[in-house]
Amino acid sequence: MTDTPTKRRGRPRAYDPEAAINQVTDVFWNNGYEGVSLDDLSAATGMNRPSLYNAFGDKRALFQMAMERYQQRARETMRERFLRGGTLREGLERIYDAALDFYLSGDLGQRGCFLINVGLTEAVADPTIRDTAASGLHELDRGFERLVQRAQAAGELAPGVDPLALAKVASGILNALAVRARAGEDRAQLQAMITATIDLICGPQASE
């Protein structure tokens, strides 16, 4: 009696899609859109160019996925910082500190914000990328606006303050920090900028 041959299962995927997109995101984040070739992306993911294209599409599609992945990672990091209680000053300190951790990260050196430093360079020519970038900016605006509204309700800010206008100021500082981080300013320099910004929004902190 002969053994019945075992039926072979389908060939498993030779790559992890989640890991591949994370690797693609890091390559674009470090080098920008124009500075990256499909060969660079193939080397980073370990996938040959046909496999990369079949799995994810062309370079533009990969860049869009990378932007969305960055926003997902940033959202997961920042959500708790926005929602946690405390004063407006405490909330701003948490948010800016978490942002610096993002902006100063990178094996090749500090790289700022993917959306600001990389995504917006392609926003003029590509409406889809522009919409993705705008969505990220407006999401931050809304988060800061809710923070300001809570501070108003708690009596920390004057009733006449425009929550959205002040929120855009606070959000804009994140953008400035991202640019300066990518330009090489260190954490101490960026922290001094944060301290001055929080004092402008909340008023100088009382000395003990």
Side-chain angles (χ1 to χ4, degrees):
M1 184 176 177
T2 60
D3 293 335
T4 303
T6 303
K7 187 177 181 180
R8 289 188 175 183
R9 297 180 179 179
R11 185 178 179 180
R13 278 184 173 176
Y15 67 94
D16 178 348
E18 292 294 313
I21 291 299
N22 285 336
Q23 290 155 347
V24 165
T25 300
D26 284 337
V27 173
F28 279 127
W29 195 355
N30 287 332
N31 301 289
Y33 182 80
E34 293 297 336
V36 172
S37 68
L38 282 176
D39 287 336
D40 294 327
L41 298 174
S42 295
T45 59
M47 301 169 64
N48 61 39
R49 290 177 61 168
S51 296
L52 195 66
Y53 186 87
N54 289 335
F56 302 111
D58 60 12
K59 179 181 167 182
R60 182 67 64 173
L62 279 162
F63 187 73
Q64 174 69 22
M65 290 181 195
M67 279 194 68
E68 292 171 357
R69 174 54 50 85
Y70 173 84
Q71 286 187 265
Q72 178 188 354
R73 285 161 59 179
R75 186 180 296 115
E76 290 170 354
T77 297
M78 301 298 281
R79 181 183 292 118
E80 186 272 339
R81 273 77 173 179
F82 274 100
L83 294 178
R84 197 192 308 172
T87 65
L88 178 60
R89 176 178 291 276
E90 291 167 342
L92 292 173
E93 287 173 347
R94 282 196 308 267
I95 292 162
Y96 289 134
D97 186 63
L100 285 192
D101 288 341
F102 249 60
Y103 299 164
L104 299 176
S105 69
D107 294 337
L108 302 179
Q110 56 198 56
R111 51 192 178 175
C113 170
F114 189 109
L115 188 152
I116 297 299
N117 300 113
V118 182
L120 289 180
T121 62
E122 301 302 311
V124 173
D126 191 318
T128 301
I129 289 174
R130 182 170 61 246
D131 289 345
T132 301
S135 174
L137 293 175
H138 296 157
E139 184 175 350
L140 279 173
D141 291 344
R142 290 191 296 271
F144 279 113
E145 184 180 15
R146 288 190 289 269
L147 208 64
V148 170
Q149 288 171 335
R150 291 202 302 269
Q152 274 186 312
E156 296 177 55
L157 294 173
V161 169
D162 182 337
L164 181 56
L166 190 57
K168 288 186 176 182
V169 171
S171 183
I173 295 301
L174 281 181
N175 304 338
L177 291 169
V179 171
R180 289 175 177 274
R182 194 163 179 113
E185 292 194 11
D186 61 27
R187 193 176 196 110
Q189 291 172 302
L190 299 174
Q191 188 60 57
M193 183 177 169
I194 289 171
T195 299
T197 297
I198 294 175
D199 283 347
L200 284 172
I201 292 174
C202 302
Q205 192 166 22
S207 55
E208 296 180 0

